[in-house]
Amino acid sequence: MSRHDAGKPEQAAREAWLGEQARKPRRRRVVLADSTKSRGKALRTIIELEEQTSVGEKLVRDLIKQQLRSAFGLAFAVLIGMCLLPITFFLFPQIGDLKILGIPIPWLVLGLAPFPILYGVGWVFRRQAERHERDFVNMVDR
Amino acid sequence: MNATIWSLSAIVAVAAVTFLLGYVGSRKANTTPDFLVARRAIPATRNAAAISGEYLSAASFLGVAGLVLKDGIDALWYPIGFTAGYLALLLFVAAPLRRSGAYTLPDFAEARLGSVNVRHFSTFFVVCIGVLYLVPQLQSAGLTLTTITGLPPWCGGLIVTVIVVINVLGGGMRAITLVQAFQYWGKLFAIAAPTFVLFVVFLASPDRGTQPISDDGVIRFPKAESITVAEQVIKLRVDEPLKLTVHGEIDGRAADGAVYWSRGVYELSPGTVMEFPAGSPVPVVEGSPTNNHDWTRPQTGGISDLLKTYSLIFATFLGTMGLPHVLVRFYTNPDGKAARRTALHVLYLLGLFYIFPTVLGVLSRLYLPQLLVNGKTDAAVLMLPETMVPNLGGQILGAIVAAGAFAAFLSTSSGLVVSVAGVVSTDIMPGKVRDFRWATVFTGLVAIGLALLLPRSDASLTVAMSFALAASTFCPLLVLGIWWRGLTWVGAVCGLVVGGGMVISAQVISVVSSYTGRWAPAVFTQPALITVPIAFMTMIVVSKATRRRAPADVNQILLRLHAPDPLGFIRDRDIARFGTAEEKARMAEDKRRGASRTR
C-alpha cells in the first residue's frame, strides 16, 4: 500500500482543496495605480509562501516555532503547577488544617483559584499568538 | 405533589423554549453547510456561550456537586480539569484547526495526512466518544425524572432523545447554536440562583446546619431514614458500629429484622430496604471517605488515589481537545483568530459556572447524608432545595434546578447527536441533508439503547472515561498533526488503534467488574495516565519508521494551518464538497482576492 492508492478522485479533490498554486502559477488581476505602493512586494512574498520557496519555508517554520514555544511554555507551566498540588497535599497533610476565614486553604486553592489563573494564562497566550501573527503579516506586507 | 408540578412545568418550559429557538434558527437552514457548520458566521462570544452550553452536561450540572458530596475536596479536580481542557485546546488546537478548513475531525485527519484510511479510523472513534458521552446524559435524564416524579428511569432518557432528535432533524447546527447559547445562560441562572438562596438560608439557620457527628467525624442521621437499594449491588463501609433494621439480602444471605453491623464492608443486593434510627452513624459507599476529617482534607486516600488524581488531570486536560462535539463548534467560527477568542471566552464562562456546584456539594454534605448510603449522589443538587427550604420557595428553587438539569441534558445531547450524525452522514453516507437526518435518527436509537443496557454510575465518572478515550486518540492526532511535520497516516492509525483500544478494553473490564463485584483496580476506571503517553509514543515511533509515507505537501498544509488569517490561506473543505455553484464561485473569487486582503 502506498499513499497513492487513495484513488484518482480523492487525489483530485485534495488538489482542489490545496489550490491550483500547487501545480501552476495562477493568473492575477493587475491594477494600475494602486494606492499602496508596496503591494508588489507583499504579493511576491505571499506567492513565495505558497510556492514554498526556501525563503517562504523559512518564514513559516519560524512562525510555527514561535507559536509552539509560546503554547508549550504556558502548557508546561500550567501542567507542572497542577501536578505539584496533589503531591504537595499528599506529602504535607498538615496544609489541610490551615484556614482563612474559616475555610480550609486547600478548598480555596482548588475551588476558586484555578479559574482566574487559567483565564489569565489563556489571555497571555492569545496576546502572544496574535502578536506573532501581526509581526508575520507586517513582515510579509512591508 | 406540588413540587412535582412546579418542576414538570419548568421542564416543559425549557423544552418549549428549546423547540421555539430551534424552529426560529432552522427556518433558513436548508443546505448541508448550514447543517454541519452553521455557515461559519457565528460571532465569537455567542459561539463561546454555545460551546459552554453544550459542554456543561449532566456531569457538570449534577455530577460535580454529587462527587463533592461523596469524595470531598479531591472531587474539585473534575471542574478544574474540565476547564483546563479548554486552555490546552486554546494553546494547541483552536486556531490551526479552524484554519484547516475541515468540517469534521475525520475530515481534518484526511486533509492533514492525505489518507482515507485514517479518516475511517477517526470516524469510528468519533462515534465511540460521542456515544460514550451520550449514555450518561440520557441516564442522568432518567435519574432526574425519577427523582422528581417517580416515573421509571427509562422515561427521562427517552424524552430527551425524542426532543433532541426532532430538534436536530429540523435545523442541524444552525438551530442548535442559538439553542445552546440560550441554554448556557439558563443553566448558569439555574445553578447560581439556588446557590445564593441556599447559602443565605444556611448562614441564617440557627445551628448553621451543623449536623450531629461522632468524635471520629462520622456523620450521623439527623432523623430516622429508610433507604432502598436501587438496581445495582451496593458495597457499604461501616466505620463505627451501628444497629439497623434490614429487609432483603446482606452479603448474599437473606436478612429480615434488626441487624448489628461492626466495622467492615457489607454488600447489599438490589431491593434491600435499610431502616436507620435517628442518630445512627452513616455508612458510606465503599471507596469514599467515611468521616468528615478525611473528606475535608486533600489526598487522604493514599498512593492509589494520588495516581487517580493525576490520571484525571491528564484525561481532562488533554481530552477536551479531542471531544468531537466541542471541536465541531470551533469550525463554525469565521477564522482562526475568532476561534482563539472563542476558546478564551469559554474559559471565562466555565470558570464562572464551576464555582456554584462546589458550594452546593458542600451544603448537601450537611443536609443529605442518605445519598451517601444509596450512592445516588448525582441527585444531590435536585433534592437540596426542598430539603433545606421545605416550603413553596424550596419547591420553586427545586423547579429551577430541575429545569437547568434538563437544559444540560438537552444541550449536550443535541451537540453530540449533531456531531456524530454529521460524521456518520458525511463519512459513511453520501452526505446530503437527507443522510444527515437518517444518521440523526440512527445515533439517537443507538444511544438510548446503550443507556438502557449499561449499568448506571456517576455521570462524572462515565464522562471522564470519554475524556480518557479522546485524550488517548484525537489529542495525539491533533497535536502531532498540527505541530509536527513528521506524522504519517500509518503512525496516526497505529496510535489511534493502540490508544483507543486500550481505553475501550479498560472500559469493558470496569463494566464487567461493576456487574460482578467491583474487583477491577482503580486504574481501569481512569486509564489516561498510562494510555496517553503510549498513544503519543506509538504515533511518533511508527511515523519515524514510515517516514516515506509523509504527505508530500506537508509544508503547504502546515502553512495553511499556521498562516495568519489576513493572508487569506483558509480554504473551507465543505464548500468544495457540498457548496452550491454560487458558493464555489465565491470561494474562487476569494482565492483570487486573497492576496489583496493582506491588510
Side-chain angles (χ1 to χ4, degrees), chain B residues 52-53 56 61 183-191 353 404 407-408 411:
Chain B
S52 314
L56 293 171
F61 199 89
Q183 278 174 345
Y184 169 76
W185 296 105
K187 275 185 269 192
L188 185 66
F189 172 74
I191 201 144
F353 180 89
S411 55

Side-chain angles (χ1 to χ4, degrees), chain B residues 1 161 163 350 390 470:
Chain B
M1 197 58 226
T161 314
I163 295 180
L350 290 183

Side-chain angles (χ1 to χ4, degrees), chain A residues 1 14 17-18 83 97 133, chain B residues 99 111 297 310 549 553:
Chain A
M1 293 237 282
R14 186 170 171 75
W17 171 67
L18 278 171
C83 288
D97 299 327
E133 288 183 356
Chain B
R99 290 187 187 126
R297 282 164 184 75
Y310 280 126
R549 290 176 196 267
D553 42 19

Side-chain angles (χ1 to χ4, degrees), chain B residues 253-277:
Chain B
R253 278 188 303 260
D256 194 18
V259 185
Y260 175 80
W261 279 355
S262 56
R263 285 176 69 116
V265 180
Y266 297 86
E267 202 177 287
L268 297 149
S269 306
T272 306
V273 182
M274 291 167 277
E275 283 166 15
F276 296 92

Side-chain angles (χ1 to χ4, degrees), chain B residues 308-599:
Chain B
K308 229 163 108 182
T309 305
Y310 280 126
S311 212
L312 180 71
I313 294 176
F314 247 74
T316 46
F317 189 70
L318 298 175
T320 308
M321 71 173 76
L323 295 178
H325 67 300
V326 169
L327 283 186
V328 80
R329 290 232 60 98
F330 279 92
Y331 294 123
T332 62
N333 279 307
D335 58 25
K337 199 168 152 188
R340 219 180 263 138
R341 279 164 192 254
T342 303
L344 184 63
H345 202 67
V346 170
L347 279 175
Y348 159 71
L349 293 177
L350 290 183
L352 200 61
F353 180 89
Y354 277 129
I355 293 169
F356 301 108
T358 311
V359 177
L360 287 179
V362 174
L363 285 178
S364 55
R365 178 88 175 177
L366 299 172
Y367 292 90
L368 293 166
Q370 68 269 32
L371 294 180
L372 294 172
V373 182
N374 66 11
K376 291 204 167 175
T377 42
D378 278 352
V381 175
L382 297 167
M383 293 168 65
L384 195 60
E386 269 198 83
T387 316
M388 286 181 72
V389 190
N391 56 30
L392 183 67
Q395 292 172 5
I396 291 177
L397 282 184
I400 292 175
V401 172
F406 223 70
F409 314 137
L410 285 182
S411 55
T412 307
S413 317
S414 311
L416 286 164
V417 169
V418 167
S419 58
V420 173
V423 167
V424 169
S425 68
T426 51
D427 287 334
I428 301 176
M429 304 189 214
K432 298 284 178 267
V433 170
R434 200 178 38 149
D435 301 314
F436 180 82
R437 292 189 164 137
W438 277 114
T440 305
V441 174
F442 166 77
T443 312
L445 283 179
V446 170
I448 187 72
L450 277 175
L452 300 179
L453 211 69
L454 290 174
R456 231 198 74 73
S457 78
D458 294 310
S460 288
L461 297 180
T462 325
V463 162
M465 195 58 154
S466 37
F467 276 85
L469 185 54
S472 317
T473 50
F474 290 126
C475 167
L477 176 68
L478 285 168
V479 170
L480 294 177
I482 287 173
W483 299 101
W484 185 47
R485 282 158 212 267
L487 187 69
T488 66
W489 73 262
V490 190
V493 166
C494 289
L496 286 179
V497 169
V498 170
M502 282 168 57
V503 176
I504 289 177
S505 8
Q507 168 78 341
V508 168
I509 289 174
S510 63
V511 165
V512 169
S513 110
S514 80
Y515 269 121
T516 54
R518 301 188 188 278
W519 44 265
V523 68
F524 285 98
T525 53
Q526 196 45 269
L529 194 60
I530 300 168
T531 54
V532 174
I534 293 182
F536 264 100
M537 287 313 295
T538 315
M539 278 198 195
I540 293 173
V541 169
V542 178
S543 291
K544 290 216 170 204
T546 55
R547 204 171 299 149
R548 279 187 311 113
R549 290 176 196 267
D553 42 19
V554 61
N555 283 330
Q556 244 157 0
I557 293 169
L558 256 73
L559 165 69
R560 176 153 310 164
L561 296 182
H562 294 280
D565 308 303
L567 298 182
F569 285 115
I570 291 189
R571 304 271 182 281
D572 286 334
R573 284 168 59 90
D574 58 321
I575 296 182
R577 181 161 170 191
F578 303 113
T580 59
E582 186 195 342
E583 280 167 332
K584 280 177 186 158
R586 205 184 312 136
M587 182 164 112
E589 176 79 5
D590 279 352
K591 220 190 270 183
R592 248 187 302 124
R593 271 199 318 231
S596 56
R597 275 197 281 129
T598 45
R599 32 203 70 226

Side-chain angles (χ1 to χ4, degrees), chain B residues 152-230:
Chain B
W154 55 265
C155 269
L158 197 66
I159 291 172
V160 168
T161 314
V162 169
I163 295 180
V164 166
V165 167
I166 291 178
N167 227 5
V168 175
L169 286 181
M173 194 56 136
R174 201 126 183 244
I176 292 301
T177 302
L178 203 59
V179 172
Q180 278 167 344
F182 158 74
Q183 278 174 345
Y184 169 76
W185 296 105
K187 275 185 269 192
L188 185 66
F189 172 74
I191 201 144
T195 308
F196 279 120
V197 174
L198 295 180
F199 196 66
V200 169
V201 169
F202 160 74
L203 289 179
S205 64
D207 53 353
R208 283 279 167 84
T210 40
Q211 65 208 145
I213 52 170
S214 72
D215 298 338
D216 302 339
V218 177
I219 316 174
R220 293 166 180 279
F221 286 108
K223 56 183 198 303
E225 200 77 53
S226 169
I227 295 164
T228 311
V229 179

